[in-house]
């Protein structure tokens, strides 16, 4: 059996995007509950930028962050699920990066977060004052519908987050895989002979983040540009 | 000619009681029908308030403000704010068999509600004055203050978040 070695699996941009989404999710939730809509809007812009970045990084980022690397077809996913509870040699191998089930979770999460932020851009508060930056292009009634969908979609997000957290617990205590520390420091200890993933230069992340930041700033201020 | 001569006194009492019950029942059902109407009318008023506030707010992003439209919206908000206390007659809140988000505190603490309604009116009047003087800075300040007045009222007197 080859000796265990520590390899890098997550690059810094992936980790920053991940933890930004986690913290902004909490901020968005709290500011909506406590009716701090000005802060909610700012946190929403941050979330929009983080989700767009993660989406873009899924195409131009490091190997483990790419959708092409971790999104698998139904056959591979089912095969992985069948071996999920097996022990010893029969057990499903722990892939570097996201496993096929985690891929589904990420697709659901990114999809719902994109929907959520888009709804928020058009949403109108009941009093008509606190509204998303694109709400001036929809009527009050349509804006209210966007606000209701924003609320309903948030409940779906809560379900996906609960499943995600349960899965992390399952991997921690049943399969003895520590996913959270790896997402913090970016490394995993592996014993199987695996080729280390490739990563892309840091300037690519800076360029993408700058471009996305400019786009989000334009959306936030689009009213004053019209 | 005597009025229904075949009825005895005891029958007359029965007829009176049945008629009175029917009339009271009819009055009761009329009252039950009026409560949803009151709540529906109130919700429509608030929709109008929100629609007008949005119309006003949509103007703010523009480089050149349409003062005529802003003045009209500000006056409408002013009028609606002055009428607001009358949309909450006693017995039209939660717990009266009708779907509403109006919390009971509106009627158990009428002083606090009256103060909040007065603050809304005060801000709406400030908005109207700013619109009349074409004062962009004062307009923004008063609009923000009006938005805070709405939010503050919702957090205390409305049984749900303003967003959904």
């Amino acid at each position: 059996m080859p000796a265990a070695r520590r390899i890098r699996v997550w690059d810094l941009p992936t980790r920053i995007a991940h933890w930004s989404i986690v913290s902004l999710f909490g901020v968005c939730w709290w500011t909506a509950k406590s009716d701090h809509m000005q802060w909610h809007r700012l946190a929403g812009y941050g979330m929009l930028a983080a989700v767009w970045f993660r989406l873009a990084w899924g195409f131009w980022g490091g190997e483990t962050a790419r959708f092409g690397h971790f999104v698998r077809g139904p056959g591979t996913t089912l095969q992985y699920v069948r071996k999920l509870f097996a022990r010893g040699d029969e057990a499903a191998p722990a892939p570097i990066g996201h496993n096929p089930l985690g891929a589904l979770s990420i697709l659901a999460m990114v999809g719902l977060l994109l929907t959520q932020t888009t709804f928020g851009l058009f949403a109108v508060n009941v009093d008509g004052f606190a509204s998303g930056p694109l709400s001036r292009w929809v009527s009050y009634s349509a804006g209210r519908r966007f606000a209701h969908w924003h609320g309903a979609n948030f409940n779906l997000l809560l379900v996906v987050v609960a499943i995600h957290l349960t899965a992390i617990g399952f991997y921690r205590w049943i399969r003895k895989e520590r996913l959270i520390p790896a997402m913090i420091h970016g490394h995993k200890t592996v014993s199987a002979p695996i080729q280390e993933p490739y990563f892309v230069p840091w300037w690519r992340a800076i360029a993408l983040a700058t471009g996305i930041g400019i786009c989000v700033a334009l959306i936030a201020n689009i009213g004053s540009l019209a | 000619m005597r009025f229904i001569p075949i009825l005895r006194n005891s029958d007359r009492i029965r007829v009176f009681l049945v008629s009175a019950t029917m009339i009271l029942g009819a009055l009761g059902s009329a009252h039950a029908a009026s409560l949803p109407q009151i709540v529906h009318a109130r919700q429509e008023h608030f929709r109008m308030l929100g629609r007008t506030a949005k119309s006003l707010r949509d103007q703010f992003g523009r480089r050149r403000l349409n003062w005529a439209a802003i003045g009209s919206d500000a006056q409408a908000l002013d009028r609606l704010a002055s009428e607001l206390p009358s949309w909450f007659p006693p017995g039209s809140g939660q717990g009266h068999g009708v779907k509403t988000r109006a919390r009971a505190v509106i009627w158990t603490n009428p002083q606090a509600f009256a103060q909040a309604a007065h603050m809304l009116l005060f801000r709406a009047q400030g908005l109207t004055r700013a619109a009349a003087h074409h004062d962009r800075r004062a307009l923004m300040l008063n609009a923000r203050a009006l938005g805070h007045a709405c939010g503050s009222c919702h957090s205390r007197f409305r049984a749900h978040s303003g967003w959904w």
Side-chain angles (χ1 to χ4, degrees):
Chain A
M1 186 177 167
R5 62 199 173 105
R6 199 166 187 255
I7 61 165
R8 187 176 167 217
V9 285
W10 304 117
D11 53 16
L12 187 63
T14 306
R15 286 179 281 146
I16 290 177
H18 180 272
W19 293 114
S20 299
I21 289 171
V22 172
S23 49
L24 287 168
F25 185 84
V27 174
C28 286
W29 190 358
W30 180 77
T31 49
K33 284 302 248 184
S34 57
D35 216 24
H36 288 88
M37 298 322 294
Q38 219 167 341
W39 290 106
H40 183 78
R41 199 164 39 226
L42 286 175
Y45 294 147
M47 181 63 93
L48 186 66
V51 175
W52 277 2
F53 180 83
R54 183 62 191 88
L55 198 61
W57 205 238
F59 294 101
W60 296 294
E63 187 181 357
T64 51
R66 292 196 180 208
F67 295 113
H69 172 79
F70 62 79
V71 177
R72 294 283 172 259
T76 313
T77 308
L78 273 176
Q79 205 176 358
Y80 178 81
V81 171
R82 277 197 208 103
K83 292 182 174 179
L84 201 57
F85 295 93
R87 306 234 170 199
D89 292 343
E90 288 293 308
I96 54 162
H98 299 296
N99 62 56
L101 273 184
L104 293 181
S105 167
I106 287 165
L107 289 181
M109 195 87 79
V110 170
L112 286 173
L113 284 171
L114 266 181
T115 311
Q116 183 72 353
T117 43
T118 307
F119 286 163
L121 293 175
F122 293 95
V124 175
N125 197 2
V126 70
D127 58 32
F129 276 108
S131 308
L134 305 184
S135 64
R136 59 180 290 189
W137 283 279
V138 299
S139 68
Y140 174 77
S141 310
R144 289 300 298 142
R145 271 199 292 278
F146 275 110
H148 283 288
W149 294 336
H150 195 61
N153 192 63
F154 179 71
N155 293 334
L156 291 179
L157 266 169
L158 283 180
V159 171
V160 174
V161 169
I163 293 170
H164 190 70
L165 294 176
T166 309
I168 289 169
F170 169 79
Y171 279 92
R172 169 70 181 84
W173 286 291
I174 309 292
R175 283 180 57 94
K176 311 293 181 198
E177 288 178 41
R178 293 161 66 90
L179 302 180
I180 293 177
M183 192 47 87
I184 293 171
H185 49 60
H187 291 79
K188 265 184 185 176
T189 304
V190 293
S191 52
I194 309 171
Q195 192 183 355
E196 286 198 32
Y198 66 83
F199 296 99
V200 295
W202 58 268
W203 59 259
R204 199 181 287 187
I206 302 279
L208 272 176
T210 307
I212 287 169
I214 291 169
C215 286
V216 172
L218 284 174
I219 287 175
N221 293 289
I222 201 161
S224 56
L225 302 171
Chain B
M1 183 180 142
R2 287 176 66 196
F3 180 67
I4 316 180
I6 52 169
L7 288 182
R8 291 171 302 181
N9 275 344
S10 58
D11 291 331
R12 281 179 187 148
I13 290 167
R14 275 197 199 102
V15 168
F16 169 76
L17 285 175
V18 169
S19 307
T21 308
M22 286 174 70
I23 290 164
L24 284 174
L27 285 173
S29 63
H31 174 73
S34 69
L35 186 56
Q37 282 169 0
I38 288 168
V39 172
H40 179 73
R42 181 162 69 212
Q43 288 166 347
E44 280 305 310
H45 285 132
F46 273 108
R47 275 193 199 102
M48 180 58 74
L49 200 62
R51 209 170 281 131
T52 311
K54 182 184 181 300
S55 164
L56 183 86
R57 193 183 176 279
D58 286 350
Q59 295 287 333
F60 291 175
R62 297 179 193 278
R63 282 188 185 150
R64 295 183 68 182
L65 296 182
N66 180 347
W67 286 107
I70 288 171
S72 163
D73 285 339
Q75 281 174 8
L77 285 175
D78 198 338
R79 182 179 54 77
L80 288 164
S82 68
E83 291 170 359
L84 187 140
S86 68
W87 304 340
F88 293 87
S92 65
Q94 288 183 329
H96 290 86
V98 67
K99 198 179 170 189
T100 172
R101 290 177 182 172
R103 293 172 65 192
V105 68
I106 293 169
W107 296 277
T108 55
N109 192 353
Q111 204 180 352
F113 184 66
Q115 274 176 358
H118 180 73
M119 181 53 74
L120 182 79
L121 181 60
F122 176 71
R123 297 301 185 193
Q125 285 169 343
L127 201 66
T128 310
R129 273 195 302 276
H133 291 105
H134 293 198
D135 185 342
R136 187 175 188 138
R137 193 169 168 274
L139 186 78
M140 300 297 176
L141 286 173
N142 278 289
R144 183 171 286 187
L146 188 68
H148 283 307
C150 290
S152 153
C153 227
H154 290 162
S155 63
R156 282 184 292 167
F157 304 112
R158 191 171 188 265
H160 218 275
S161 161
W163 276 86
W164 54 77

